[in-house]
Structures are given as structure tokens and as C-alpha cells.
């Protein structure tokens, strides 16, 4: 047997079983945990874990640990993705079996949304307090879209995705969008929000913004939205964004300008009281990015001292010579 036939045969063996085919059809739509697959397919966890192990080993499914949970995703790139695209072109996904699975998945998704709503309601007071101190989010988001450029983007990555708002905003402009966050609870909120909005081109996974689970030069737009003030080493996050950016790619950073509202540190977990522009310039230079002067948005007049929101644009040079200029 030729060596190059072995992976193909492995993929055929892995996919050539009814339950595994149903699993693949579900995972092509959204990321699911073993527990959620148990609810949809009404099969035991050991049985489904065995199937998932086979699919993962064949490169048809990606395994994504998230705290005590593990989520699974249909292969999103490479030979595995090409195999699945070809396979499902030949399958009638409107068949009764797939339709029943899809309907059952909607019920499971409703449970996920309820869990997310419960968690987010506990944080609502915190979010409302901070939101009242700065310029309206809608105007900031409009500026972000303008500063990102017209697109379309091949791949957008959101560092510290939180509720998934940036993914919802940019997914219509991108072939693929993905966010990372360390918090399983926030990822639950993000998944529920994206599903509720009917956004299928964006996904989330657990990940550290200082060591992102993405390949070098794999995104043409990276967003860091209201994340850096929680970090003890923001420069590491900027450097990681630069690593993930393709040459010619763009980084958007949204954060507060330097301020003296100490209660945000003591009561809301802010590690830094905003970002100084000279620090941003130094971090960008170290990461070989070209930083522009920020666009600033003053707080509402009625908010007292308030918070200025800055949007920084940093471009990764398309050619090595440009980085030295």
C-alpha cells in the first residue's frame, strides 16, 4: 500500500459508520461537548467518546479542552476539511435522521442559552456601571468597522472575546472568524449569543491571549477589545497578535486611555488604569508593528470624570524591509 493512501483510508474508515456520520453532520454546524452530543444522539457517553476518539485520530474532528469540559469541532482546515466538504456534497442532509438530530440540537442549544443568560445576568451590574462611564458602544463599533477597512477578510481573530460581540460585528465581513477567552462561562455566553443571532461563520474556543492556539501568520485582522487593562503584561498580548497576523494584516486595539478611577482596579479587577499611548507605541515597535495615533472618544458629559476610549490601529508590514523603515 502506498503511504499516501493510509490517511485517506483512515478517514474513510472513521467516517464510514452511521453514528460517526451523524456526529460529523452536527459538528459541521457548531462546536459541541460530549455531554451535548449525548443529549442529541441519546447514546452513552463512553460510546460517543469512542467515536470521537476515532474521528479525532483520523483528523476529521478537532478536540478543544475547556476547563473540565472538552468541546469538539469538525476539521476546519487542511485535508480533513477538504475530505468533509467532499463527503457532505454527496450526502442528503435533509434526510429524516439528520433532520431529527438538528431539531434535537435546537433543544440542547436552548438549554445552553439559558445557562449563559443566568451567568450574564449576574455580571450585568458590573457591565452597566462601566458602560455608563464611556462613549456609546454603537458609535465605537461603527468606528471600528470603518478603521478595519472594507474587507472582505479571510480570517478574523478576536483576543479575549468575552460575550462574542466583536465576532458578531465582524463575521459578516469574514470568511472565518474565531475568538478565544480563558473563561468557560464567558465562552458559554459567546456561543449562546452567536447562536441566537444566527451567525454560523464565527466560533470560539478556550485560549490564552499570551499564547494563542493559532498558527503564525494565519489571520488578516486581529481584534483586542477591552482586554489589555486586565493584563499584567499587555506587551506580550500585542506581540502574540503580531505573530498571528499575516504580513499586511491589521490589529485593532480598543481600550481606555490612562485614567485615575481607582475603583475600577479595586472593584472590577482592572490591573491597569487605562493604556498610555507611549506604552502602546513601545509595545507595537517591539512587535514590529506600525502604530497609528489613536482615535479618541470622550465620555458623556453627565458621567463625571468618565473614561476616554481609544482605538489604536497597528499594521504589520507586508515586506520585511518595511518593518525596518
Amino acid at each position: 500500500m502506498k503511504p499516501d493512501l493510509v490517511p485517506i483510508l483512515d478517514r474513510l474508515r472513521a467516517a464510514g459508520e452511521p453514528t460517526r456520520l451523524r456526529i460529523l453532520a452536527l459538528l459541521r454546524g457548531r462546536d459541541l461537548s460530549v455531554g451535548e452530543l449525548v443529549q442529541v444522539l441519546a447514546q452513552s457517553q463512553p460510546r460517543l467518546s469512542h467515536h470521537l476518539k476515532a474521528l479525532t485520530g483520523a483528523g476529521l474532528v478537532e478536540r478543544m479542552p475547556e476547563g473540565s469540559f472538552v468541546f469538539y469541532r469538525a476539521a476546519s482546515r487542511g485535508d480533513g476539511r477538504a475530505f468533509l466538504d467532499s463527503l457532505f456534497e454527496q450526502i442528503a442532509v435533509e434526510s429524516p435522521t439528520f433532520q431529527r438530530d438538528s431539531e434535537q440540537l435546537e433543544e440542547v442549544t436552548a438549554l445552553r442559552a439559558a445557562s449563559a443568560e443566568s451567568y450574564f445576568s449576574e455580571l450585568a451590574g458590573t457591565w452597566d456601571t462601566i458602560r455608563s462611564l464611556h462613549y456609546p458602544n454603537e458609535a465605537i463599533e461603527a468606528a471600528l468597522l470603518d478603521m478595519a477597512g472594507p474587507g472582505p477578510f479571510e480570517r478574523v481573530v478576536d483576543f479575549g472575546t468575552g460575550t462574542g460581540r466583536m465576532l458578531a460585528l465582524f463575521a459578516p465581513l469574514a470568511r472565518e472568524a474565531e475568538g478565544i477567552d480563558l473563561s468557560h462561562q464567558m465562552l458559554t455566553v459567546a456561543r449562546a449569543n452567536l447562536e441566537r443571532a444566527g451567525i454560523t461563520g464565527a466560533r470560539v474556543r478556550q485560549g490564552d491571549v499570551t499564547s494563542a492556539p493559532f498558527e503564525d501568520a494565519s489571520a488578516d485582522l486581529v481584534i483586542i477589545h477591552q482586554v489589555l487593562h486586565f493584563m499584567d503584561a499587555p506587551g506580550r498580548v500585542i506581540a502574540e497578535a503580531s505573530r498571528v497576523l499575516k504580513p499586511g494584516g491589521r490589529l485593532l486595539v480598543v481600550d481606555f486611555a490612562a485614567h485615575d478611577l481607582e475603583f475600577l482596579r479595586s472593584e472590577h479587577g482592572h490591573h491597569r488604569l487605562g493604556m498610555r499611548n507611549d506604552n502602546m507605541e513601545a509595545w507595537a515597535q517591539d512587535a514590529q508593528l506600525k502604530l497609528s495615533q489613536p482615535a479618541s472618544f470622550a465620555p458623556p458629559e453627565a458621567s463625571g470624570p468618565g473614561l476616554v476610549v481609544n482605538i489604536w490601529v497597528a499594521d504589520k508590514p507586508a515586506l520585511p524591509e518595511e518593518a525596518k523603515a
Side-chain angles (χ1 to χ4, degrees):
M1 181 187 302
K2 294 183 178 179
D4 57 346
L5 290 178
V6 174
I8 297 174
L9 291 174
D10 287 343
R11 289 191 283 270
L12 288 169
R13 292 190 190 99
E17 195 277 339
T19 296
R20 293 178 191 171
L21 202 57
R22 293 167 69 190
I23 291 171
L24 290 171
L26 289 166
L27 294 181
R28 278 168 62 80
R30 63 191 64 172
D31 304 340
L32 296 169
S33 67
V34 178
E36 289 170 328
L37 286 167
V38 166
Q39 294 176 68
V40 174
L41 299 174
Q43 297 188 25
S44 70
Q45 182 164 332
R47 178 182 175 85
L48 290 177
S49 294
H50 171 75
H51 288 316
L52 288 164
K53 183 177 181 181
L55 291 169
T56 302
L60 298 180
V61 164
E62 300 169 12
R63 186 178 185 273
M64 301 181 297
E66 190 171 299
S68 59
F69 288 75
V70 177
F71 280 81
Y72 291 87
R73 171 182 300 177
S76 57
R77 53 183 44 82
D79 293 340
R81 169 68 179 270
F83 177 89
L84 291 178
D85 287 346
S86 175
L87 176 64
F88 279 90
E89 284 178 2
Q90 305 171 59
I91 294 176
V93 293
E94 299 82 9
S95 69
T97 298
F98 288 133
Q99 287 299 309
R100 283 194 301 270
D101 288 348
S102 180
E103 291 167 5
Q104 186 62 28
L105 177 59
E106 292 308 313
E107 294 184 20
V108 172
T109 297
L111 294 175
R112 176 191 282 178
S115 174
E117 183 66 27
S118 175
Y119 172 75
F120 195 65
S121 65
E122 298 175 8
L123 300 178
T126 295
W127 288 72
D128 290 342
T129 297
I130 297 175
R131 189 181 298 116
S132 69
L133 295 173
H134 65 72
Y135 202 76
N137 283 330
E138 295 78 9
I140 293 172
E141 291 177 357
L144 269 174
L145 289 169
D146 182 61
M147 296 168 76
F153 303 103
E154 185 69 14
R155 181 172 170 78
V156 173
V157 168
D158 184 23
F159 277 22
T161 197
T163 65
R165 177 55 194 163
M166 290 298 103
L167 293 177
L169 190 66
F170 281 93
L173 302 175
R175 187 185 69 82
E176 183 180 0
E178 187 161 12
I180 58 171
D181 204 291
L182 273 179
S183 168
H184 168 67
Q185 289 90 343
M186 290 307 296
L187 291 172
T188 300
V189 171
R191 288 190 181 99
N193 286 342
L194 293 171
E195 288 163 2
R196 187 183 298 114
I199 296 172
T200 59
R203 299 203 176 173
V204 297
R205 67 166 69 188
Q206 191 170 51
D208 185 342
V209 294
T210 64
S211 182
F214 303 119
E215 298 175 352
D216 294 356
S218 58
D220 44 355
L221 180 66
V222 175
I223 303 164
I224 306 175
H225 182 271
Q226 299 291 14
V227 170
L228 294 185
H229 60 256
F230 290 110
M231 308 301 299
D232 58 354
R236 291 180 58 191
V237 186
I238 300 294
E240 188 66 357
S242 179
R243 179 189 67 78
V244 172
L245 275 175
K246 298 175 182 178
R250 172 162 289 185
L251 168 65
L252 295 177
V253 178
V254 184
D255 219 302
F256 303 125
H259 60 84
D260 58 3
L261 301 184
E262 188 64 40
F263 81 94
L264 291 178
R265 194 195 321 262
S266 59
E267 298 178 22
H268 298 280
H270 291 204
H271 190 84
R272 290 171 173 263
L273 298 183
M275 297 291 117
R276 288 172 38 153
N277 197 51
D278 58 345
N279 286 338
M280 289 293 297
E281 289 174 350
W283 295 327
Q285 185 174 5
D286 289 345
Q288 297 185 316
L289 297 172
K290 289 190 172 183
L291 187 74
S292 301
Q293 286 296 310
S296 295
F297 299 84
E301 293 182 5
S303 67
L307 293 166
V308 173
V309 175
N310 281 343
I311 303 177
W312 288 272
V313 175
D315 292 313
K316 187 170 185 177
L319 300 172
E321 293 76 15
E322 295 179 23
K324 301 174 183 178

